[in-house]
Amino acid sequence: MAKKSLIQREKKRQKLEQKYHLIRQSLKKKIRSKVSPLSLSEKTKMREKLQSLPRNSAPTRLHRRCFLTGRPRANYRDFGLSGHVLREMVYECLLPDATRSSW
């Protein structure tokens, strides 16, 4: 089980990312726009605005965690669970259409 503080920190990052998502996307779109090219100084100002956003609001700082245990590694996106929790749930037949492999 992950520490509660780490799980709360991750939730805080998710909230920040959602809050600043539209602002970040609009700034990036303006910097990359080829329809109305910006001068170098205007692009620099846009990049400074982008850099002034909170660091934890960047989507790359988010880390996918297990839904049950909060474990940050070996997560399966389809289930939102870490590998060992997923394996235990499959063994106990708690996941429909998931079977143990045998060959």
Side-chain angles (χ1 to χ4, degrees):
M1 186 75 182
K3 289 172 63 175
K4 299 287 183 188
S5 61
L6 295 177
I7 294 171
Q8 292 304 317
R9 187 184 306 162
E10 196 64 36
K11 287 181 181 178
K12 182 180 175 184
R13 283 182 184 147
Q14 288 175 349
K15 286 180 186 176
L16 274 173
E17 196 274 331
Q18 289 173 353
K19 181 179 178 182
Y20 290 101
H21 180 75
L22 294 175
I23 297 170
R24 187 176 291 278
Q25 292 303 316
S26 66
L27 285 172
K28 283 184 175 183
K29 191 179 257 186
K30 286 178 186 176
I31 291 171
R32 284 192 235 127
S33 73
K34 294 185 179 184
V35 177
S36 59
L38 299 172
S39 68
L40 188 61
S41 62
E42 291 172 337
K43 280 189 178 183
T44 306
K45 287 180 185 176
M46 292 289 183
R47 285 195 181 109
E48 286 174 359
K49 286 182 184 178
L50 191 63
Q51 289 176 350
S52 68
L53 295 177
R55 187 175 285 172
N56 281 334
S57 69
T60 55
R61 302 216 18 135
L62 293 176
H63 206 136
R64 192 173 293 109
R65 289 185 171 270
C66 177
F67 179 71
L68 292 177
T69 61
R71 189 170 193 267
R73 297 182 180 175
N75 285 312
Y76 287 84
R77 291 182 187 183
D78 298 338
F79 300 101
L81 299 169
S82 63
H84 77 280
V85 173
L86 179 69
R87 182 172 172 256
E88 290 172 3
M89 290 180 81
V90 168
Y91 286 163
E92 295 172 7
C93 299
L94 297 174
L95 295 174
D97 295 333
T99 57
R100 296 182 348 190
S101 63
S102 60
W103 58 89

